[in-house]
Amino acid sequence: MSVPPPPEPITGARLLFSLDPAVSHLNHGSFGAVPIIAQRAQQRLRDEMEADPLRFFTQGLADRITHARRHLAGFLGADPDGTALTMNATTGVAVVLQSLCLRPGDEVLTTDHGYGAVDLSVFRECRRTGATHRVLRVPLSATNEEIVQIVRSGLRPGRTRLLVVDQLTSATARLFPVAAIVGVAREHGISVLVDAAHAPGMLPATVQSIGADFWVGNLHKWGYAPRGTAVLTVAPQWQERIEPLVVSWEQAAGFPGRMEWQATADYTAWLSAPAGLYTLRTLGVDRVRAHNAALAAYGQRVVGDALGVPPADLPDPGGPTVAMRIIPLPAGLATTIEAARALRARIAERLATQVAVMSWDGRGWLRLCGQVYNSPDEYDRLAVRLPTLLAQG
């Protein structure tokens, strides 16, 4: 079966970023890439802050943060008054876990597709409170119906306090049916936290349509915002119980103000985030989503073919807008986190290509992303050179 053709490039998109042209950046999902227009907007804000710090922090900053939050929440289909800006999805998860006031006998339920730092946060909070962390195994080939049934069977009403589920998984690039999962959990009175780190900008589903108790997503990946921009959306019944990790002067303001005001933090990323969304909208949101997903699919097939992986063994994320794909690596490679990191570094150094290498379910996986600044020939070059590098051990 032949490799499908790549999508038509979006003319001029590469020039919107300041990425090193000597490197193939095929891992947008890890740290994103900030368009030049958003970089300049943030620098202007930093110049303003440094010109008169006291004025910047004491005259209208809270209102400017609120304005930025409302802009971002509107794009995501989230309630602006039930949404707080935060640094990243992992921070949002930590805030929720701390605010639950877990006790011995309580349980936090996750899946084996969860993000590693989130698992560490759950482990720490359970150790601190005496609660239990239990992990559901979800096969990579499971259908949406099978995933919902696995979750349904795994819930323990009266004991499971929180279910944490990814909207789009980092390690496996798998799209989860989060709205259906939330519905199942609600039948049993169990709260759900959706880790949507990769959703903003990539996926079309709105936050309110999912209906989770908690939803946290990064804008600095697929939303083109400066790094350190994420949102935590909280259902009304939980908002007064949400406590920030650090108490500051807006503590009495309630949610979201008490969470957003973190003293002398650098708020310029949040304030310039709308410039990132402006870039996305200018290019065309649907156009970018379709392009990126098609390019990631092309990269998966061409590199998979080069590694001898049959098309049937290339995981399909199950969605037309998923711009991340994974490829199984040869047996014995990157089977641990340490080995995966080492292989990623070798690929970067020797092939001048940035990719993600994951260790999941006892084997190594290569994750490729598609973005408007990428071109098909970058995946073609990787396909030609990667087999030799991997054969060297």
Side-chain angles (χ1 to χ4, degrees):
M1 187 181 298
S2 61
V3 176
E8 289 294 320
I10 297 178
T11 304
R14 177 67 180 80
L15 300 176
L16 301 176
F17 299 84
S18 56
L19 294 164
D20 184 351
V23 177
S24 293
H25 303 272
L26 307 182
N27 186 23
H28 185 89
S30 284
F31 297 102
V34 184
I36 294 171
I37 187 174
Q39 294 180 41
R40 290 176 176 170
Q42 184 177 24
Q43 188 57 53
R44 287 194 296 270
L45 287 161
R46 283 176 169 158
D47 291 343
E48 177 189 344
M49 177 173 59
E50 297 306 331
D52 192 339
L54 190 63
R55 184 177 188 277
F56 181 85
F57 280 97
T58 62
Q59 296 188 24
L61 179 55
D63 290 339
R64 296 170 79 174
I65 293 172
T66 298
H67 178 76
R69 183 213 321 137
R70 289 185 174 278
H71 186 103
L72 301 178
F75 174 77
L76 298 171
D79 174 17
D81 296 321
T83 299
L85 291 167
T86 187
M87 181 178 295
N88 50 45
T90 310
T91 301
V93 170
V95 167
V96 171
L97 289 170
Q98 174 186 271
S99 301
L100 284 176
C101 299
L102 296 171
R103 298 172 296 182
D106 290 340
E107 175 183 87
V108 178
L109 187 62
T110 65
T111 79
D112 60 347
H113 293 252
Y115 187 57
V118 170
D119 287 339
L120 291 173
S121 188
V122 172
F123 174 79
R124 185 187 70 170
E125 192 64 16
C126 287
R127 182 181 60 185
R128 188 181 70 83
T129 62
T132 301
H133 176 202
R134 188 161 57 89
V135 180
L136 293 177
R137 176 173 171 76
V138 178
L140 189 60
S141 60
T143 64
N144 284 346
E145 293 76 14
E146 289 169 340
I147 293 174
V148 172
Q149 185 54 44
I150 289 170
V151 171
R152 186 189 302 273
S153 300
L155 297 174
R156 296 176 179 175
R159 181 167 183 178
T160 306
R161 286 284 309 284
L162 181 70
L163 168 65
V164 182
V165 63
D166 295 65
Q167 188 166 349
L168 176 63
T169 66
S170 177
T172 57
R174 172 66 205 237
L175 192 65
F176 270 48
V178 288
I181 290 171
V182 168
V184 168
R186 184 176 291 116
E187 293 173 5
H188 300 285
I190 294 170
S191 300
V192 181
L193 165 59
V194 173
D195 179 356
H198 290 276
M202 187 203 296
L203 303 180
T206 63
V207 176
Q208 290 185 322
S209 70
I210 294 169
D213 298 83
F214 314 99
W215 185 98
V216 60
N218 293 322
L219 271 297
H220 53 243
K221 293 181 183 285
W222 305 91
Y224 296 159
R227 292 171 196 88
T229 305
V231 297
L232 170 64
T233 296
V234 179
Q237 67 269 24
W238 284 101
Q239 289 170 14
E240 287 307 309
R241 298 172 60 178
I242 292 294
E243 292 287 348
L245 299 178
V246 177
V247 174
S248 194
W249 287 104
E250 291 298 311
Q251 180 66 12
F255 185 88
R258 66 163 55 133
M259 184 170 162
E260 290 176 334
W261 188 261
Q262 294 291 290
T264 49
D266 185 346
Y267 300 97
T268 60
W270 298 355
L271 300 181
S272 53
L277 287 186
Y278 173 81
T279 302
L280 180 58
R281 287 180 166 126
T282 299
L283 293 172
V285 178
D286 292 339
R287 182 187 183 197
V288 168
R289 287 170 174 164
H291 170 274
N292 292 350
L295 192 56
Y298 172 82
Q300 181 193 43
R301 280 295 304 275
V302 73
V303 176
D305 280 0
L307 297 181
V309 181
D313 293 338
L314 293 173
D316 183 344
T321 60
V322 174
M324 301 193 303
R325 295 284 183 125
I326 60 171
I327 303 163
L329 291 170
L333 288 180
T335 57
T336 66
I337 293 177
E338 294 75 17
R341 289 173 176 169
L343 178 56
R344 181 198 60 77
R346 284 176 56 213
I347 294 172
E349 179 182 356
R350 299 187 186 183
L351 305 185
T353 302
Q354 296 291 358
V355 298
V357 180
M358 309 294 192
S359 175
W360 184 82
D361 197 30
R363 73 172 304 165
W365 302 82
L366 180 75
R367 191 188 75 188
L368 298 175
C369 299
Q371 190 48 263
V372 296
Y373 51 72
N374 293 132
S375 60
D377 65 284
E378 293 178 296
Y379 304 91
D380 296 338
R381 290 197 300 269
L382 180 63
V384 170
R385 302 173 66 192
L386 183 60
T388 300
L389 184 145
L390 297 182
Q392 294 171 351

